[in-house]
């Protein structure tokens, strides 16, 4: 018998799980005040933007899966597109053969804020000010940060102090990185959400106010700040300063949208993930790569099978995923293709990147991936 210090949690009223206790606590408070699961999820998400800023934020992305009790599973795509000006020719014109990993040239159209508000509008019940109240409170009055916040800030201390000076004001007050037990405040974010609420207070009804807030994000003072920052020459991983390609037109033209999930049937369950604009279908292919008979759970053979299958699925992600060209997802998840891929799993760990050829197609890999695959890609 195995014992664990983790209790089995049960709830008769409701339950919330997140990566931070303050987000879970806030979401639970929304449930207890009469909100539904969607209200709670949105409130918790905005709190996570405050308490885990090293992991996410309102200008990030949010692929959301929702499964209403009386309806079909849907995906809410909160992944913004690349700006219209982010072309290969533009980057090459700057003397770059790789998009910098940091700085404004790496930025896509922000998607998280619009996705969470669309979810709140269409499925929630609470007004916008009640949902944002928890995030505003923790941003304005402070919270005790987890260790990861300070550790992450230390890795970019020089960048913050020389380039991202407004970030330094928030995350390096007095030159000190955030520490557990010492309150961390983000007054700029609190002021942003307060202004957003003030500018939308006159909207006629709950849904209208949420849509007005989405419009402020896309075309109002927040959009203006995003474009202004994108136009500021900033040091990036190329070692040079560049301005971004994000424009007001990019922000105004994009909004979150619903779509049908990618699915795979396994052991009597239908597993749903976001489409191949995300890496969600990697998990589906990992399931498709499993044989009918699995080794003993937690055995070395079992772990080897899972790890090597993960490598193969990730290699296919490198070769085939994206939103600018056809993604042969049906072939990638087919039984025939994955039976062929499964035969590549040997007794030893594979060290090469080995994308496959679904439907006989030739793998398409970027230059960095081609270098990784150069020592032995297999069909």
């Amino acid at each position: 018998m195995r014992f664990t210090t983790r209790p089995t949690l049960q709830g008769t009223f409701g339950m919330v799980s997140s990566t931070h206790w303050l987000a879970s606590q806030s979401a639970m408070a929304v449930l207890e005040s009469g909100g539904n699961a969607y209200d709670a999820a949105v409130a918790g998400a905005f709190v996570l933007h405050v308490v885990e800023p090293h992991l996410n934020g309102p200008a990030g992305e949010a692929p959301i899966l929702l499964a209403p009790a009386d309806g079909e599973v849907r995906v809410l795509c909160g992944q913004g597109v690349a700006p219209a000006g982010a072309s290969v020719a533009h980057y090459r014109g700057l003397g770059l053969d790789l998009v910098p990993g940091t700085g404004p040239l790496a930025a896509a159209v922000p998607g998280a804020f619009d996705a969470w508000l669309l979810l709140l509008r269409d499925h929630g019940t609470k007004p916008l000010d009640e949902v944002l109240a928890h995030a505003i409170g923790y941003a304005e009055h402070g919270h005790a940060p987890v260790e990861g916040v300070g550790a992450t800030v230390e890795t970019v201390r020089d960048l913050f102090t020389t380039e991202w000076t407004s970030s330094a004001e928030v995350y390096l007050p007095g030159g000190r990185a955030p520490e557990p037990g010492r309150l961390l405040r983000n007054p700029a974010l609190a002021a942003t959400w307060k202004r957003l609420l003030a500018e939308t207070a006159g909207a006629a009804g709950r849904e209208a106010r949420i849509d007005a807030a989405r419009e402020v994000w896309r075309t109002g003072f927040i959009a203006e700040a995003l474009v202004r920052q994108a136009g500021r020459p900033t040091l990036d991983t190329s070692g040079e300063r560049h301005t971004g390609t994000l424009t007001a037109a990019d922000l105004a033209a994009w909004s979150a949208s619903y779509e049908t999930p990618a699915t795979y049937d396994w052991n009597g369950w239908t597993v749903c993930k976001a489409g191949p604009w995300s890496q969600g279908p990697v998990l589906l292919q990992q399931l498709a790569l499993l044989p009918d008979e699995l080794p003993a759970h937690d055995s070395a053979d079992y772990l080897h099978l899972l790890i090597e299958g993960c490598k193969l699925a990730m290699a296919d992600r490198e070769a085939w995923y994206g939103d600018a060209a056809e993604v042969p997802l049906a072939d990638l998840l087919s039984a025939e293709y994955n039976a062929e891929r499964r035969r590549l799993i040997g007794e030893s760990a594979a060290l090469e990147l080995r994308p496959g050829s679904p439907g006989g197609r030739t793998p398409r890999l970027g230059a960095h991936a081609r270098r990784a695959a150069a020592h032995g890609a297999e069909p």
Side-chain angles (χ1 to χ4, degrees):
M1 178 180 294
R2 294 185 179 183
F3 295 94
T4 177
T5 58
R6 296 180 181 272
T8 298
L9 301 179
Q10 293 178 305
T12 57
F13 174 76
M15 186 173 289
V16 174
S17 176
S18 80
T19 54
H20 197 286
W21 63 92
L22 292 180
S24 297
Q25 175 180 295
S26 300
M28 196 67 206
V30 170
L31 287 179
E32 291 171 344
S33 69
N36 65 18
Y38 301 103
D39 298 315
V42 176
F46 278 97
V47 170
L48 287 176
H49 295 167
V50 178
V51 300
E52 292 186 339
H54 58 311
L55 300 178
N56 71 136
E61 65 279 342
I64 300 170
L65 279 164
L66 54 149
D70 56 352
E72 62 181 348
V73 177
R74 300 287 287 167
V75 170
L76 178 51
C77 175
Q79 171 61 64
V81 297
S87 65
V88 173
H90 178 75
Y91 291 104
R92 286 180 174 164
L94 296 173
L96 300 171
D97 58 4
L98 190 67
V99 178
T102 62
L105 279 178
V109 176
F113 179 88
D114 195 64
W116 286 118
L117 261 63
L118 187 60
L119 183 70
L120 180 66
R121 186 199 71 181
D122 293 347
H123 300 278
T125 63
K126 288 284 189 178
L128 182 61
D129 55 343
E130 287 189 30
V131 170
L132 286 178
H134 303 272
I136 291 173
Y138 288 121
E140 185 171 26
H141 302 297
H143 62 93
V146 296
E147 292 182 358
V149 177
T152 303
V153 169
E154 285 293 357
T155 67
V156 290
R157 173 184 284 274
D158 292 343
L159 186 64
F160 275 15
T161 55
T162 60
E163 299 293 326
W164 302 95
T165 53
S166 60
S167 295
E169 292 173 6
V170 174
Y171 297 112
L172 288 167
R176 295 175 63 187
E179 300 172 1
R182 183 164 59 93
L183 290 182
L184 173 64
R185 296 178 174 87
N186 191 336
L189 182 59
T192 299
W193 295 152
K194 284 185 171 183
R195 180 176 173 183
L196 177 79
L197 292 175
E199 291 195 6
T200 60
R206 192 188 79 89
E207 291 82 3
R209 189 178 193 184
I210 293 171
D211 277 337
R214 296 172 67 209
E215 193 63 24
V216 168
W217 178 275
R218 289 199 296 263
T219 64
F221 78 94
I222 296 176
E224 292 169 359
L226 290 168
V227 172
R228 187 166 56 249
Q229 185 63 37
R232 178 174 170 267
T234 305
L235 187 69
D236 55 40
T237 50
S238 72
E240 299 180 0
R241 284 182 171 81
H242 295 107
T243 58
T245 58
L246 185 70
T247 67
D250 293 319
L251 288 164
W254 184 87
S255 63
S257 58
Y258 295 98
E259 61 186 50
T260 301
T263 63
Y264 185 77
D265 293 331
W266 185 77
N267 272 10
W269 294 88
T270 298
V271 183
C272 300
K273 300 293 281 185
W277 50 265
S278 74
Q279 64 176 0
V282 165
L283 175 63
L284 305 184
Q285 189 177 356
Q286 286 178 256
L287 294 175
L289 282 163
L290 295 176
D292 293 335
E293 297 292 330
L294 294 175
H297 181 65
D298 280 352
S299 67
D301 287 341
Y302 177 82
L303 295 175
H304 177 71
L305 179 67
L306 294 188
I307 293 167
E308 294 304 304
C310 179
K311 292 177 184 177
L312 292 172
M314 288 290 188
D316 279 342
R317 180 199 66 174
E318 287 296 311
W320 298 109
Y321 286 27
D323 55 8
E326 177 200 2
V327 179
L329 194 57
D331 286 332
L332 286 168
L333 298 180
S334 69
E336 297 78 13
Y337 177 71
N338 285 289
E340 175 186 348
R341 297 286 279 158
R342 194 181 305 121
R343 286 194 287 271
L344 296 177
I345 300 176
E347 295 183 358
S348 302
L351 303 180
E352 303 87 11
L353 184 71
R354 300 183 292 176
S357 301
R361 301 169 179 85
T362 301
R364 54 178 193 238
L365 292 172
H368 69 291
R370 285 199 300 272
R371 285 193 292 269
H375 298 294
E378 298 182 29

